[in-house]
Amino acid sequence: MGKSIVEKILAQHIVIGEAVKGTEVGIKIDQTLTQDATGTMAYLQFEAMGVPKVKTELSVSYVDHNTVQIGFENADDHKYLQSVAEKYGIVYSRAGNGICHQVQLERFGKPGKTLLGSDSHTPTGGGVGMLAIGAGGLDVAVAMAGGPFYLTYPKIIKINLTGKLRPWVAAKDIILKVLEIFTTKGNVGCVFEYGGSGVKTLSVPERATITNMGAECGVTTSVFPSDEITREFLIAQDRESDWTELLADDDAEYDKVIDINLSELVPLAATPHSPGNISTVRELGEIDVDQVCLGSCTNSSYKDMMTVARILADKKLHPNVSFVVAPGSKQVIENIIQDGGFASIVSAGARIAESACGFCIGNSQSPKTEAVSLRTSNRNFFGRSGTKSANAYLVSPETAAAAVITGKFTDPRDLEKLGIKYPEVKMPAKFHIDDSMFVFPGEDKKDVEIYRGPNIGDPPAAEPLKDKIAGVVTLKVEDKITTDHIIPAGSKMKYRSNVPKYSEFLFEVIDATFHDRAKELRDSGKDNIIVAGLSYGQGSSREHAALCPMYMGVKAVLAKSMERIHNANLINFGILPLNFKDQADYDKLEQSDALEISNIKEALVNNQNLKVKNLTKGTEFEATYILSDRQKEILIAGGTLAFMRKQQK
Ligand code: MIC
Ligand code: SF4
């Protein structure tokens, strides 16, 4: 039987376990990336592992999230990261060089390799045929120390693309279509592999837009073949020697095949407050638009910027619209300057933002009260823009440009009526390349002193698993709670290196009393328990969504279902992830109910369900779990760092 691309890459990287679907395998990681908001904690944990140098082929530390620098905290973190990179043999990408996923794709992406990144949009690398996976910082630290990354051997879903996109319809519309089909929940343990005759009509940045936003479906990763188009992209990046062909065998078998005819797609939008709420732009009607944001790791490539620049050539923005543009990298900026695109964008009236995450993570450019904000980014979760009452829609660069001109939601195909022709932007045969914003590690850097400003605190240690969890349902939440609900980013992100301070904002957007209530319970010796609905922990890879609850004394999360990265983060920090055996028991639980779960270790070792006593209601129900033997040992030891220390003894 032939092999899929995913099977081929996995076969070359499995170091523990067998290629059996649904079982846990450990894979060798070739490359890692971190960004500053998750990176400081990842490197503090890496330092604790006592390894003299990273053991990967390549590890890169980016600074792209916390670049606002109001106060000393961000700059302290950057300096810490730079000194760690120098000491341990890591490439450091300075603030200003661009967004990690865009830059990694441009300068380091290699077909057939594995990439683990402490950011959920790491699958962007799938655009050049990498198996690129997002994970918590601690998992990335383990990979830098040479350890395997563990994942469930995935179900592989083929997305068969046929036809060709019509003018004004974009790669963003393809992934929004995929989101309409698969939604944002229920896809844990799957990988999307793209194939079919439509693949060759898509450039690498278009493919990367699609693999980037697979993260919103909750799949482990998404991957495209590596073909002639990939080769041309790597030639343009002066990296032809990094190219290898990587195609699925004709007789490869998949767990499921979905067909999408590109010729039939129309401009789409994700409506508030989920990337899975899909509508056609036409259906939305002429809603007035207050803000348009072009950029983020989804749509900030040369092609995206040049397309918008050509649409806006000789046009001015609508008086009611604030138009923010954040090109994805320094390389993108330099190339659109060279090709005249930058001038058109500036002349149209754009507010040029730094080449960084910026508006996407809500740490700048928060829109006005009740604003309608059109964004080319990947997440429109409640409150993420920094303005709770705002309505954020996710759209293609073409649809964004149309609204800049008309001030309303406009199907970009209607621009033809205004005499604007669809710009066919070609990829450059050679990009202007300048790697001077990377600091490459030197040969002998043993004596580098690590810089630790007052913003850098030690990560708190987890406690060994208790045999009895006795506490209270501190918070009961609904379906699809994202990590942005659990611990906000935006203006609070500067406290990422200070867990006690950052923990004050836990669940702030849902219930601002959570922190004080949890603290009181913790300090009186009671355990905090979170109860949740379906797909808990969607979104970011931020391990603070586990680390801060751990610090506040959360011992278990009882959910109808949980997303992959968050589930792994809970285990890494010694919090028990549990599911309801009977989902109806969720409805019977109330916030403040006193719960008791006893004989935990014995039940885990014997693969038995756990019995949960509701002391308030005088009832009992069963909780299940999906934990490998390795994960049980981690939990019993009190988290991954404690587990590793035990193994070293
Ligand atoms: C995001 O898009 O939510 C982030 C901010 O990039 C996160 C990482 C983080 O929280 O630091 C992600 O996607 O993993
Ligand atoms: Fe940055 Fe936004 Fe991409 Fe996250 S999704 S890495 S915040 S640009």
Side-chain angles (χ1 to χ4, degrees):
M1 193 182 81
K3 282 201 164 94
S4 64
I5 297 168
V6 176
E7 286 170 314
K8 286 183 186 181
I9 304 179
L10 283 174
Q12 285 186 349
H13 288 84
I14 290 183
V15 286
I16 293 172
E18 306 277 334
V20 179
K21 281 183 209 312
T23 64
E24 191 179 66
V25 290
I27 60 169
K28 176 183 174 291
I29 293 300
D30 302 320
Q31 300 187 352
T32 61
L33 72 76
T34 55
Q35 41 88 342
D36 53 302
T38 53
T40 48
M41 211 37 82
Y43 291 111
L44 284 165
Q45 294 167 138
F46 177 76
E47 284 189 81
M49 290 172 195
V51 177
K53 286 268 175 235
V54 288
K55 295 192 175 157
T56 46
E57 290 173 16
L58 174 87
S59 288
V60 190
S61 170
Y62 291 91
V63 176
D64 56 359
H65 279 63
N66 272 317
T67 56
V68 178
Q69 294 174 227
I70 300 175
F72 61 91
E73 292 89 348
N74 297 167
D76 268 1
D77 286 358
H78 302 171
K79 191 75 195 155
Y80 166 73
L81 292 170
Q82 182 162 4
S83 62
V84 167
E86 201 181 353
K87 176 159 177 160
Y88 293 105
I90 297 158
V91 179
Y92 180 66
S93 175
R94 302 175 59 186
N97 201 29
I99 305 174
C100 55
H101 308 302
Q102 173 67 25
V103 179
Q104 185 83 7
L105 190 76
E106 290 168 354
R107 303 308 299 139
F108 304 116
K110 272 193 195 179
K113 295 281 180 186
T114 52
L115 165 68
L116 193 71
S118 63
D119 190 282
S120 64
H121 291 107
T122 304
T124 313
V128 288
M130 298 189 92
L131 198 77
I133 303 175
L138 183 48
D139 284 334
V140 177
V142 170
M144 288 191 287
F149 173 68
Y150 292 90
L151 72 157
T152 306
Y153 196 94
K155 284 194 193 136
I156 305 164
I157 300 175
K158 179 173 179 185
I159 304 194
N160 190 45
L161 304 177
T162 54
K164 185 177 185 317
L165 290 174
R166 288 176 295 169
W168 304 105
V169 186
K172 184 62 154 277
D173 301 312
I174 303 177
I175 187 61
L176 292 177
K177 185 73 197 175
V178 171
L179 271 151
E180 185 181 67
I181 298 169
F182 286 93
T183 77
T184 60
K185 56 181 198 298
N187 306 306
V188 173
C190 300
V191 171
F192 290 154
E193 179 171 314
Y194 289 84
S197 58
V199 163
K200 64 175 186 308
T201 67
L202 299 170
S203 65
V204 164
E206 290 175 301
R207 296 174 185 187
T209 294
I210 295 167
T211 57
N212 171 286
M213 261 188 101
E216 275 47 75
C217 294
V219 291
T220 306
T221 189
S222 305
V223 65
F224 269 84
S226 167
D227 56 10
E228 271 308 306
I229 309 259
T230 322
R231 181 155 171 252
E232 279 162 26
F233 176 79
L234 290 174
I235 291 173
Q237 290 289 344
D238 217 3
R239 298 200 288 119
E240 188 180 6
S241 57
D242 286 346
W243 182 75
T244 39
E245 190 173 59
L246 186 56
L247 307 173
D249 294 334
D250 290 340
D251 56 345
E253 282 182 14
Y254 294 89
D255 293 284
K256 198 174 184 177
V257 180
I258 293 282
D259 293 302
I260 297 181
N261 183 348
L262 303 182
S263 314
E264 288 171 0
L265 295 183
V266 297
L268 298 174
T271 64
H273 295 286
S274 169
N277 296 345
I278 306 297
S279 173
T280 66
V281 174
R282 192 78 84 213
E283 265 162 22
L284 288 171
E286 295 194 336
I287 306 171
D288 286 336
V289 171
D290 302 287
Q291 183 189 46
V292 176
C293 301
L294 174 67
S296 92
C297 56
T298 321
N299 278 118
S300 61
S301 68
Y302 170 88
K303 191 168 192 297
D304 294 323
M305 296 288 145
M306 284 306 288
T307 302
V308 172
R310 297 254 169 86
I311 297 171
L312 297 182
D314 304 323
K315 301 274 175 309
K316 298 291 172 203
L317 86 169
H318 188 276
N320 294 340
V321 173
S322 172
F323 177 36
V324 182
V325 178
S329 67
K330 175 171 173 286
Q331 184 188 92
V332 170
I333 299 178
E334 291 191 305
N335 283 276
I336 64 171
I337 287 177
Q338 189 175 282
D339 295 350
F342 197 72
S344 304
I345 289 174
V346 171
S347 155
R351 301 171 64 181
I352 304 296
E354 191 175 1
S355 179
C357 299
F359 72 82
C360 174
I361 192 55
N363 68 3
S364 61
Q365 300 289 347
S366 296
K368 77 173 194 25
T369 306
E370 289 175 9
V372 170
S373 176
L374 260 63
R375 299 173 162 230
T376 63
S377 47
N378 45 36
R379 290 186 175 147
N380 57 346
F381 298 148
F382 177 70
R384 182 172 165 105
S385 69
T387 305
K388 274 197 198 170
S389 64
N391 286 311
Y393 294 77
L394 307 175
V395 296
S396 70
E398 287 80 346
T399 302
V404 169
I405 297 169
T406 63
K408 292 181 192 321
F409 240 106
T410 306
D411 186 314
R413 292 172 294 179
D414 292 346
L415 290 177
E416 304 239 347
K417 292 182 202 150
L418 303 177
I420 301 173
K421 288 218 184 68
Y422 178 68
E424 283 280 356
V425 172
K426 297 262 168 303
M427 291 290 288
K430 268 261 168 306
F431 286 100
H432 170 82
I433 294 162
D434 170 13
D435 285 336
S436 60
M437 289 292 278
F438 290 110
V439 182
F440 290 96
E443 279 303 294
D444 186 23
K445 294 281 183 179
K446 280 195 213 74
D447 300 329
V448 177
E449 202 184 316
I450 305 282
Y451 173 86
R452 288 175 219 282
N455 194 42
I456 309 285
D458 285 337
E463 286 168 9
L465 186 71
K466 294 164 81 173
D467 202 35
K468 175 163 145 189
I469 295 177
V472 171
V473 178
T474 325
L475 191 70
K476 182 179 175 189
V477 291
E478 311 279 301
D479 290 351
K480 297 202 332 187
I481 291 300
T482 72
T483 48
D484 280 329
H485 291 106
I486 301 173
I487 188 93
S491 58
K492 318 292 169 7
M493 206 162 51
K494 68 177 182 179
Y495 300 120
R496 284 282 173 96
S497 309
N498 181 344
V499 171
K501 178 72 193 165
Y502 197 34
S503 299
E504 290 174 16
F505 307 107
L506 269 170
F507 294 105
E508 195 197 26
V509 285
I510 305 176
D511 178 352
T513 67
F514 175 83
H515 171 267
D516 290 354
R517 293 190 294 109
K519 185 170 181 297
E520 203 181 314
L521 285 163
R522 179 195 67 186
D523 295 349
S524 66
K526 295 215 175 78
D527 298 324
N528 286 296
I529 300 167
I530 310 284
V531 169
L534 287 168
S535 190
Y536 181 72
Q538 286 191 355
S540 157
S541 69
R542 68 189 69 139
E543 60 192 0
H544 295 77
L547 185 54
C548 296
M550 176 198 90
Y551 176 72
M552 294 312 301
V554 173
K555 298 291 178 197
V557 176
L558 188 53
K560 286 187 183 170
S561 72
M562 216 174 281
E563 291 300 303
R564 174 187 65 89
I565 306 180
H566 186 62
N567 190 70
N569 284 338
L570 289 177
I571 296 167
N572 278 345
F573 293 100
I575 298 177
L576 198 55
L578 299 175
N579 300 119
F580 290 96
K581 183 176 171 219
D582 177 359
Q583 298 208 345
D585 288 325
Y586 167 90
D587 299 318
K588 296 177 194 152
L589 274 179
E590 273 177 276
Q591 193 160 302
S592 302
D593 280 358
L595 302 185
E596 200 176 273
I597 316 173
S598 314
N599 297 328
I600 298 175
K601 286 186 208 162
E602 195 188 317
L604 289 189
V605 172
N606 296 317
N607 285 325
Q608 288 159 347
N609 291 343
L610 292 166
K611 300 224 179 332
V612 185
K613 278 195 190 135
N614 186 333
L615 303 178
T616 309
K617 303 233 156 56
T619 54
E620 190 176 283
F621 64 93
E622 284 187 43
T624 60
Y625 47 83
I626 309 167
L627 295 169
S628 66
D629 289 346
R630 183 188 62 89
Q631 289 171 322
K632 287 178 191 170
E633 283 184 47
I634 291 176
L635 281 166
I636 290 170
T640 293
L641 279 180
F643 174 68
M644 286 173 80
R645 268 186 222 117
K646 224 167 117 186
Q647 281 192 319
Q648 278 158 9
K649 274 186 199 151

